[in-house]
Amino acid sequence: MKSNNNAKLSRRTLLKASAAALAMPYVITRPALADGGTVKIMGVSTVALPDWSSFEADTGLKMDFVGVNSDPGLYVQEVVANEAGDTYDIFIFDGGIEDRLGTGGQFQKIDPNAMKLWGAVADSVKSSALLQGPDGTQYGVPIVFNADSFGYHVEDIKESEPFSWGMVFENEKLLGKIALEDTWLTTLPNAALYLMSKGKAITDPSNMTPEEAKMTADFLIERKKAGQFRALWHSYEESVDLLGNREVVIAECWEPVIKQLLRDGKNVRYASMKEGYSKWMIGAYLPSQAEGERLARAYKALDWFLGGNYGAQMAIQQGYATANPQAALEFAKSKSLSEADLAAIKLNIDKVEQKMALPHYWQNAAPKHVEAIEAEWQRFKQA
């Protein structure tokens, strides 16, 4: 996680064992350009592996991965103001940012012919609006995606799944026992999903108008004043502690939090939802400066991310899907992984397909009215 406690932390991060190792301050110290045998990546920490030896063995490349916050403002600062494309071969950021950095000329168009496994990726995945510019230009390669909800202590919840988001936002039985993620990127749209289920006029939770964002913030402020929320969490570790120590019964959180607590012997579960999920995708983008051997190295790395080795590790460790989930299952079988690992991969495939079938909502790191949305989130926090 972040070494700067005042900085906004990643929305999704590595498991606790690797989070500290990937910590980076908000302002990144610019390292030297990678040599010919190393691929240099700036990316959100959730996509990183605790150990890159499998990547290095499969590709013959060295990995130099620099973890950053999941924060659209940081991406723009690093790529535009700090010219990170001069140094890094690949950016791995929240999908949607290409609407700003692709159309702005900082990312180059993806060449599908440069990747052997591109054809194995489902059209519905690679054609996501979170990977393409407004005109359909393919700027991004899918790396990981999932659909987030909340975690809860099983013995304290009598209702049956699937749940409504009202369990988080309007739950009189659990006043002061709810934790929210401290970011507009997920919490505002999740609350908007609930308001939509109550008949409120919101068209797209991930791309709200200023009026819709104000209505959602007004609702959250009302619930905050009613004492609904115990805490806003900022880091993976903080969310694990809040739920694990039973300071809260429900936490809007990331799936790896629940995997960690299950390993710790806690009786928790990750919820299925009626209205929909916070569906997100993290994509890989190539800086416009990359060319020649540097570009070839980047494409070789991207091809590996599309393969079964990486997909299997993500499914087992994080519960996240990759662009080619069947390849992950085939890889696990070929390597005679344990029945538990195989079951985790199969469960992940089924789970993601079920969640993705619901219409709402794909997270949007660059909504049209982002400034108004951010302002409404700050109004809620300060209330």
Side-chain angles (χ1 to χ4, degrees):
M1 298 307 303
K2 302 291 290 182
S3 58
N4 180 353
N5 292 329
N6 293 322
K8 183 179 178 181
L9 298 169
S10 174
R11 197 197 74 75
R12 297 173 291 276
T13 187
L14 278 176
L15 298 178
K16 196 169 185 177
S18 60
L22 290 168
M24 288 296 299
Y26 186 90
V27 178
I28 299 170
T29 301
R30 187 70 61 233
L33 189 65
D35 61 38
T38 301
V39 62
K40 195 162 198 56
I41 297 177
M42 176 191 289
V44 290
S45 297
T46 192
V47 308
L49 298 174
D51 178 0
W52 288 103
S53 59
S54 57
F55 168 84
E56 295 177 351
D58 289 348
T59 65
L61 297 169
K62 295 291 185 182
M63 171 63 73
D64 188 349
F65 186 95
V66 175
V68 296
N69 290 0
S70 177
D71 183 333
L74 180 148
Y75 307 155
V76 173
Q77 174 185 318
E78 285 297 319
V79 174
V80 179
N82 295 343
E83 299 181 340
D86 290 340
T87 300
Y88 291 92
D89 305 318
I90 299 172
F91 297 121
I92 302 183
F93 295 153
D94 289 78
I97 196 63
E98 73 284 344
D99 286 353
R100 296 170 69 179
L101 298 180
T103 56
Q106 288 80 26
F107 295 159
Q108 62 181 276
K109 180 181 177 180
I110 293 295
D111 178 7
N113 296 321
M115 295 170 285
K116 297 177 182 178
L117 297 178
W118 183 252
V121 180
D123 289 339
S124 60
V125 175
K126 58 191 177 188
S127 65
S128 168
L130 296 182
L131 299 173
Q132 297 182 345
D135 63 354
T137 300
Q138 190 79 41
Y139 290 111
V141 173
I143 300 299
V144 297
F145 60 94
N146 200 27
D148 291 348
S149 57
F150 65 84
Y152 66 98
H153 284 277
V154 175
E155 61 269 28
D156 292 307
I157 304 296
K158 306 306 178 186
E159 293 84 350
S160 299
E161 297 189 47
F163 294 130
S164 165
W165 278 106
M167 291 286 289
V168 173
F169 297 110
E170 200 167 22
N171 191 334
E172 296 294 334
K173 297 177 182 177
L174 292 176
L175 289 175
K177 293 292 185 179
I178 309 293
L180 302 179
E181 184 180 3
D182 187 3
T183 174
W184 61 266
L185 191 60
T186 54
T187 300
L188 273 181
N190 287 342
L193 263 184
Y194 175 58
L195 292 179
M196 288 172 67
S197 74
K198 297 180 67 177
K200 300 297 184 182
I202 297 174
T203 302
D204 182 355
S206 66
N207 197 19
M208 286 187 280
T209 65
E211 294 76 18
E212 292 168 346
K214 180 181 184 303
M215 176 173 60
T216 305
D218 286 344
F219 166 71
L220 286 176
I221 290 170
E222 175 187 328
R223 297 311 302 158
K224 182 179 182 180
K225 291 180 177 178
Q228 187 73 77
F229 312 122
R230 167 70 176 82
L232 297 176
W233 60 265
H234 306 81
S235 71
Y236 170 86
E237 293 89 350
E238 188 176 1
S239 59
V240 168
D241 289 342
L242 281 167
L243 200 56
N245 295 336
R246 299 188 64 85
E247 291 183 54
V248 297
V249 172
I250 288 175
E252 180 195 29
C253 66
W254 318 329
E255 191 160 2
V257 171
I258 301 307
K259 285 187 168 290
Q260 178 65 52
L261 292 175
L262 288 171
R263 287 192 291 269
D264 294 341
K266 306 296 183 182
N267 188 16
V268 294
R269 187 178 297 160
Y270 206 51
S272 61
M273 310 303 297
K274 295 177 181 177
E275 299 96 347
Y277 297 84
S278 174
K279 297 185 286 190
W280 52 268
M281 181 179 289
I282 294 177
Y285 305 94
L286 298 174
S288 57
Q289 298 96 319
E291 57 184 6
E293 290 185 6
R294 183 180 169 201
L295 186 59
R297 182 173 60 223
Y299 273 117
K300 189 173 186 179
L302 292 181
D303 228 16
W304 188 84
F305 280 111
L306 297 178
N309 193 334
Y310 180 72
Q313 293 187 67
M314 281 289 106
I316 293 166
Q317 296 174 16
Q318 304 273 60
Y320 291 163
T322 52
N324 191 2
Q326 289 299 330
L329 186 58
E330 292 168 9
F331 174 85
K333 291 178 178 178
S334 71
K335 298 299 181 181
S336 299
L337 298 189
S338 70
E339 287 300 320
D341 287 345
L342 287 172
I345 295 171
K346 292 176 183 177
L347 178 64
N348 190 58
I349 292 172
D350 292 342
K351 174 200 66 181
V352 170
E353 288 178 351
Q354 175 264 320
K355 289 181 174 181
M356 297 302 169
L358 294 177
H360 291 296
Y361 67 91
W362 278 104
Q363 237 180 64
N364 187 349
K368 181 178 180 180
H369 302 287
V370 62
E371 293 85 2
I373 291 169
E374 289 177 337
E376 292 299 334
W377 176 249
Q378 290 302 319
R379 186 168 68 87
F380 159 67
K381 288 182 63 176
Q382 295 166 8

